[in-house]
Amino acid sequence: LETFAYMPPRQVLDGLPAEDATRRVAGTPHSILEICAHLNFWQDWFLKRVDGVAEPVVTSAAAGWPSVAGRTWEPERDAFFAGLERAVAISEDAGRLTARVEPAIEFPPLAHFTVRDALMHVALHNAHHLGQIVTLRQIMGLWPPPDGAFTW
């Protein structure tokens, strides 16, 4: 993953104080903490499905945005990183990648997914929302992170 032109997730979130992660920027729909909770929700959901857990699909898009009431930044961020490590570990089992997700996902566009498809879906979803976090950090004047960032 280090060879992609995306910012590594740890670097995107590096040095972000809790008070800024929970701040809602005027005119934007979510705080960074809310985005991270959303990433955790779907990352965890897909990884459970890959592991054969018949976790039902949510009935609305809004249900994939859990409340952050009572949640704090560092544990939410750390849970995201733990999920990434779990996804990487699954991806390193080459024999598992072509297996179908069983039970099949009840949402027709995803019903045919293999483990590889599910992991790719998680990666793309994460990249999309990590890009939003970069933009929020730029708006807040918190970019680049302490260890630097790509400049193009």
Side-chain angles (χ1 to χ4, degrees), residues 26-141:
T28 63
H30 302 289
S31 69
I32 292 172
L33 175 63
E34 290 168 325
I35 294 170
C36 194
H38 172 74
L39 289 172
N40 284 338
F41 177 89
W42 284 111
Q43 185 169 259
D44 185 58
W45 187 89
F46 272 98
L47 295 177
K48 284 180 184 174
R49 291 307 295 251
V50 162
D51 285 338
V53 177
E55 185 83 15
V57 177
V58 296
T59 58
S60 70
W65 288 89
S67 169
V68 295
R71 296 183 190 213
T72 56
W73 173 235
E74 289 82 6
E76 202 68 35
R77 179 201 59 210
D78 293 347
F80 174 66
F81 293 145
L84 287 178
E85 293 300 323
R86 196 167 141 222
V88 168
I90 293 167
S91 77
E92 290 172 342
D93 183 352
R96 202 171 162 196
L97 294 175
T98 57
R100 292 240 178 235
V101 172
E102 292 293 338
I105 299 171
E106 302 85 357
F107 184 58
L110 312 181
H112 68 282
F113 267 22
T114 63
V115 170
R116 176 184 284 117
D117 296 329
L119 294 175
M120 184 62 81
H121 190 90
V122 168
L124 291 170
H125 182 255
N126 286 352
H128 167 79
H129 288 295
L130 287 166
Q132 291 176 322
I133 291 171
V134 169
T135 300
L136 287 172
R137 288 189 71 165
Q138 290 169 330
I139 292 167
M140 290 188 271

